[in-house]
Amino acid sequence: MDEYIYRFENLGLKDIDCVGGKNASLGDMISNLNQLGVSVPDGFAISVRAYWDFLKAGGLDQRISEALAMLNVSDAVSLAETGVNIRQWIMDTPFSGALDDAIDHAFAELQRGNPELSVAVRSSVTAEDLPDASFAGQQQTYLNIIGLENVKRAIHEVFSSLFNDRAISYRNHHGFEHQNVAPSVGVQRMVRSDLACSGVMVTLDAESGFQDVVFLTASYGLGETVMQSTVNPDEYYVHKPTFREGRQAILRRNIGSKAIKMTCTNNAIAGQSVQTVDVERRDRLKFALNDEEIYELTRQALIIENHYQRPMDIEWAKDGLDGKLYIVQARPETLKSRVSASVME
């Protein structure tokens, strides 16, 4: 089990090769920042080793290599057919007994006797968020997954999503060998932001690169609508030096239309567990966050930025059940932070 499953609390940045950047970052924050007041939901990671052993045990590694070697990525029809075939092979191949048992045990520990516990199942690719390329968002995320068998199906889906058309094409065009990119899978306790709100924080101005502000966005429901840019969220700018002095520090706030939100359904199967619905007019016309919540998120963002000593791109979510604000992902900001501060365009 130690080779296949790792609890987040036992992970750190040293484990990126084992569980990918996303899972290693979650573990690092739980281990080092929890006592400073950064709230990260617990969970566990399925290692890259588990993925490689899964492919080898089923003989899939050879079949996939042969299929990709024959692929002309410029041919859209061929790309689609090859991707569909590979993904189906993965979905049809059962986990080994060892991996199956490891998942059973880890999920039972996470449930702690609660059979209705819902989780998010996400990919954490070993090559994601590199300085010269980003694989973030190319693999699938499954939210509101309830029950052991549904979790296992979602893990299969994450494994197979490494071979969606976009991911295959991206690796090919950027010169990454397919066999050098592998997914770890994170299984994390769901934050019920479908009953509240969620969004993104960047510890600099996302447009100019100015580093003395925290830029926050917020919209109702699960965070996927913000991440996929399918909703126009509220925006807030907080001035870091003024905030550190304990004074009113919100420079600007813009209200977004927030026309839609993603919510959980009563179906906990991957691909059917969420839905998008319209937001009522009275909720669209008010801000999703109050000042106290804006400052609490800013406080956590600055702790994270100070820990990593670089600008960070952070996903947050408010739980509508307990009312608390949680950090669900944090990664280095890889666009504006690389732009020269002495050049204005």
Side-chain angles (χ1 to χ4, degrees), residues 111-300:
Q111 283 181 306
R112 295 180 187 138
N114 176 16
E116 297 303 312
L117 177 77
S118 62
V119 296
V121 181
R122 292 188 173 94
S123 66
S124 177
V125 179
T126 52
E128 69 186 344
D129 300 322
L130 294 174
D132 56 349
S134 176
F135 293 80
Q138 290 188 22
Q139 279 65 58
Q140 194 57 268
T141 292
Y142 297 97
L143 304 174
N144 189 38
I145 305 300
I146 302 173
L148 179 61
E149 293 310 312
N150 290 332
V151 168
K152 289 179 180 178
R153 176 182 173 85
I155 294 167
H156 263 104
E157 294 277 8
V158 170
F159 281 176
S160 71
S161 72
L162 193 70
F163 298 98
N164 64 44
D165 297 355
R166 179 188 170 199
I168 294 172
S169 179
Y170 184 91
R171 292 194 296 270
N172 184 274
H173 287 307
H174 286 78
F176 289 93
E177 296 293 335
H178 296 286
Q179 62 269 26
N180 291 340
V181 181
S184 166
V185 181
V187 179
Q188 185 178 31
R189 180 174 61 80
M190 269 287 291
V191 177
R192 291 300 303 271
S193 59
D194 59 305
L195 304 174
C197 57
S198 57
V200 174
M201 299 186 284
V202 188
T203 60
L204 46 66
D205 177 26
E207 292 190 2
S208 69
F210 179 58
Q211 298 202 13
D212 273 350
V213 295
V214 175
F215 172 60
L216 294 90
T217 64
S219 193
Y220 299 119
L222 301 171
E224 297 305 292
T225 54
V226 177
M227 294 301 297
Q228 296 166 5
S229 300
T230 57
V231 70
N232 179 24
D234 297 338
E235 297 179 346
Y236 313 88
Y237 290 85
V238 182
H239 190 236
K240 293 178 187 176
T242 306
F243 174 79
R244 291 189 180 106
E245 292 176 5
R247 297 157 59 194
Q248 295 293 321
I250 299 173
L251 294 174
R252 189 169 82 215
R253 67 184 96 210
N254 303 323
I255 195 161
S257 58
K258 304 184 295 295
I260 59 172
K261 64 179 178 179
M262 184 177 287
T263 64
C264 298
T265 69
N266 293 324
N267 191 336
I269 299 174
Q272 304 173 39
S273 57
V274 295
Q275 62 185 351
T276 301
V277 299
D278 292 336
V279 174
E280 293 189 20
R281 177 174 171 78
R282 68 173 182 271
D283 291 328
R284 297 182 198 180
L285 298 178
K286 61 184 181 182
F287 286 101
L289 292 173
N290 60 38
D291 286 10
E292 183 181 350
E293 291 168 334
I294 294 167
Y295 289 138
E296 171 58 21
L297 287 170
T298 298
R299 184 187 68 81
Q300 295 196 43

Side-chain angles (χ1 to χ4, degrees), residues 314-329:
I314 302 162
E315 294 177 39
W316 64 269
K318 179 181 177 180
D319 195 308
L321 297 177
D322 64 19
K324 294 181 180 179
L325 296 162
Y326 294 91
I327 305 301
V328 293
Q329 282 186 43

Side-chain angles (χ1 to χ4, degrees), residues 14 34 47 52-53 119 132 149 247 259 334 338 345:
K14 67 184 186 306
N34 184 258
S47 69
W52 288 127
D53 286 357
V119 296
D132 56 349
E149 293 310 312
R247 297 157 59 194
T334 56
R338 297 211 313 271
E345 181 177 333

Side-chain angles (χ1 to χ4, degrees), residues 51-69:
Y51 169 76
W52 288 127
D53 286 357
F54 166 74
L55 290 190
K56 291 176 183 176
L60 287 178
D61 52 348
Q62 190 63 36
R63 292 174 70 189
I64 291 171
S65 293
E66 291 172 357
L68 293 175

